């Protein structure tokens, strides 16, 4: 059973190494001491809630996913397409990539299980469930469709001076989930032979996993990797595994919740374009997927710009008291990774 200890400083759940007498929080730096090894620890410890147990192992590696879609219904932050995104992603994982149904945790407001409502606590627990007991050959997916935001970073680890955040259903009372915590929960525990793909359809999501390398296109039209490793030397990579993230936009951009793409119902622009790239046969390499997503959004933005397509972001909703903004799509999907690779040569697979 995975043992989590609350940080004595910021109260973030921390995964305690076996037999360790203390642990340092990667977010606030506080050192939390424990009175006994994990096997004997009882007070102050958190265990995964019933229902979070990992699926049984398969003969040739396991596939496991957390799919989170938050609509913030009945609030001024409401989004129309996020639950659609989650349902479509689940269908894609099952039909195209053979993820077992019982190995996909769905978090959204339509769930009857209280542990599957996308609160801050439940999203945290789902992230820990995703990496719990992972072994070589495992393929993990974390998909999030909802609001994203930024907050000031005071550690000096962010190039732009801001941490990227995800907004759980109860973010107004419980706070947001910061990229440092996401990196600690999902990225750093990954051992050799384990692959994690994150798909983050949210505003300001370019570096939402705080991965060390960001893929950019240079003036010659070639993809090159930017080094985003913190100047402090804090390690943001894995423990030997591989982490790759597609996100809806750059850190300083907003991501659209719009009907302009499907023409039928509201979706997140990034999720729609990712699934469309796979369905149309553009999913052979990471570069082909990124090109397809960017092309679709660029073309849609040009066609919608004069027509006033609805684009929704948390910041504009807060500023306008819950309204939506008219205009085309102004976002560029991003690719980040724990290690650099040739985006046109590396085959894509989940």
């Amino acid at each position: 059973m995975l043992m989590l200890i609350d940080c004595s400083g910021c109260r973030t759940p921390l995964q305690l190494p076996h037999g360790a007498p203390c642990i340092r929080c990667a977010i606030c730096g506080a050192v939390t001491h424990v009175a006994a090894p994990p096997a004997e620890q009882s007070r102050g410890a958190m265990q995964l809630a019933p229902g979070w147990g990992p699926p049984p192992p398969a003969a040739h590696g396991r596939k496991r996913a957390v799919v989170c879609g938050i609509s913030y219904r009945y609030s001024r932050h409401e989004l129309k397409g996020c639950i659609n995104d989650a349902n479509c992603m689940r269908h894609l994982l099952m039909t195209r990539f053979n993820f077992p149904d019982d190995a996909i945790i769905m978090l959204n407001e339509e769930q009857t299980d209280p542990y599957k409502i996308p609160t801050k606590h439940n999203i945290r627990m789902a992230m820990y469930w995703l990496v719990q007991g992972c072994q070589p050959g495992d393929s993990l997916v974390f998909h999030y469709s909802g609001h994203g935001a930024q907050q000031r970073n005071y550690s000096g680890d962010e190039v732009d001076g801001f941490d990227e955040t995800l907004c759980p259903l109860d973010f107004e009372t419980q706070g947001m989930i910061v990229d440092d915590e996401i990196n600690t929960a999902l990225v750093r525990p990954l051992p050799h032979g384990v692959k994690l793909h994150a798909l983050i359809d949210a505003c300001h999501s370019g570096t939402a996993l705080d991965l060390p390398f960001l893929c950019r296109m240079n003036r010659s039209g070639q993809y090159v990797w930017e080094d985003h490793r913190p100047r402090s030397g804090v390690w943001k990579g894995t423990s030997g595994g591989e982490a790759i993230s597609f996100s809806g936009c750059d850190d300083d951009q907003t991501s659209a919740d719009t009907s302009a793409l499907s023409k039928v119902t509201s979706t997140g622009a990034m999720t729609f374009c990712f699934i469309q790239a796979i369905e149309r046969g553009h999913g052979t390499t990471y570069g082909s997927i990124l090109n397809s997503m960017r092309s679709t959004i660029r073309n849609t933005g040009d066609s919608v710009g004069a027509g006033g397509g609805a684009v929704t972001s948390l910041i504009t909703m807060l500023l306008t008291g819950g309204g939506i903004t008219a205009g085309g799509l102004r976002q560029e999907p991003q690719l980040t990774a724990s290690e650099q690779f040739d985006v046109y040569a590396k085959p894509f697979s989940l």
Side-chain angles (χ1 to χ4, degrees), residues 122-199:
N122 285 346
I123 293 175
R124 280 176 163 177
M125 292 301 100
M127 290 193 294
Y128 290 115
W129 169 86
L130 187 62
V131 301
Q132 177 188 6
C134 57
Q135 300 172 4
D138 288 359
S139 175
L140 314 177
V141 172
F142 178 77
H143 172 259
Y144 172 90
S145 180
H147 280 305
Q150 290 180 305
Q151 64 183 36
R152 177 69 66 180
N153 170 269
Y154 296 99
S155 68
D157 286 345
E158 295 284 348
V159 174
D160 61 358
F162 289 92
D163 283 315
E164 285 63 54
T165 64
L166 302 183
C167 301
L169 182 62
D170 54 355
F171 76 94
E172 290 185 294
T173 57
Q174 300 303 310
M176 299 179 286
I177 301 176
V178 183
D179 52 8
D180 299 286
E181 178 180 352
I182 300 169
N183 182 275
T184 299
L186 290 181
V187 177
R188 290 175 60 183
L190 298 175
H192 179 75
V194 175
K195 181 181 290 187
L196 167 75
H197 284 91
L199 305 161

Side-chain angles (χ1 to χ4, degrees), residues 118-286:
T119 62
K120 183 176 183 177
H121 175 77
N122 285 346
I123 293 175
R124 280 176 163 177
M125 292 301 100
M127 290 193 294
Y128 290 115
W129 169 86
L130 187 62
V131 301
Q132 177 188 6
C134 57
Q135 300 172 4
D138 288 359
S139 175
L140 314 177
V141 172
F142 178 77
H143 172 259
Y144 172 90
S145 180
H147 280 305
Q150 290 180 305
Q151 64 183 36
R152 177 69 66 180
N153 170 269
Y154 296 99
S155 68
D157 286 345
E158 295 284 348
V159 174
D160 61 358
F162 289 92
D163 283 315
E164 285 63 54
T165 64
L166 302 183
C167 301
L169 182 62
D170 54 355
F171 76 94
E172 290 185 294
T173 57
Q174 300 303 310
M176 299 179 286
I177 301 176
V178 183
D179 52 8
D180 299 286
E181 178 180 352
I182 300 169
N183 182 275
T184 299
L186 290 181
V187 177
R188 290 175 60 183
L190 298 175
H192 179 75
V194 175
K195 181 181 290 187
L196 167 75
H197 284 91
L199 305 161
I200 311 296
D201 196 346
C203 297
H204 313 291
S205 55
T207 61
L209 265 68
D210 252 4
L211 291 170
F213 300 100
L214 171 66
C215 189
R216 295 281 196 196
M217 181 171 283
N218 63 19
R219 293 182 178 180
S220 302
Q222 298 175 319
Y223 284 121
V224 295
W225 291 97
E226 288 183 356
D227 190 340
H228 280 240
R229 287 175 290 187
R231 289 169 293 181
S232 65
V234 173
W235 178 242
K236 293 291 187 176
T238 70
S239 297
E242 185 174 19
I244 300 173
S245 175
F246 285 100
S247 52
C249 60
D250 211 342
D251 286 342
D252 62 353
Q253 294 178 326
T254 57
S255 197
D257 180 72
T258 177
S259 60
L261 288 155
S262 74
K263 312 297 184 184
V264 176
T265 187
S266 293
T267 65
M270 178 265 173
T271 300
F272 181 93
C273 292
F274 175 82
I275 293 175
Q276 179 175 269
I278 301 299
E279 296 289 350
R280 292 188 175 180
H282 302 306
T284 53
T285 68
Y286 291 87

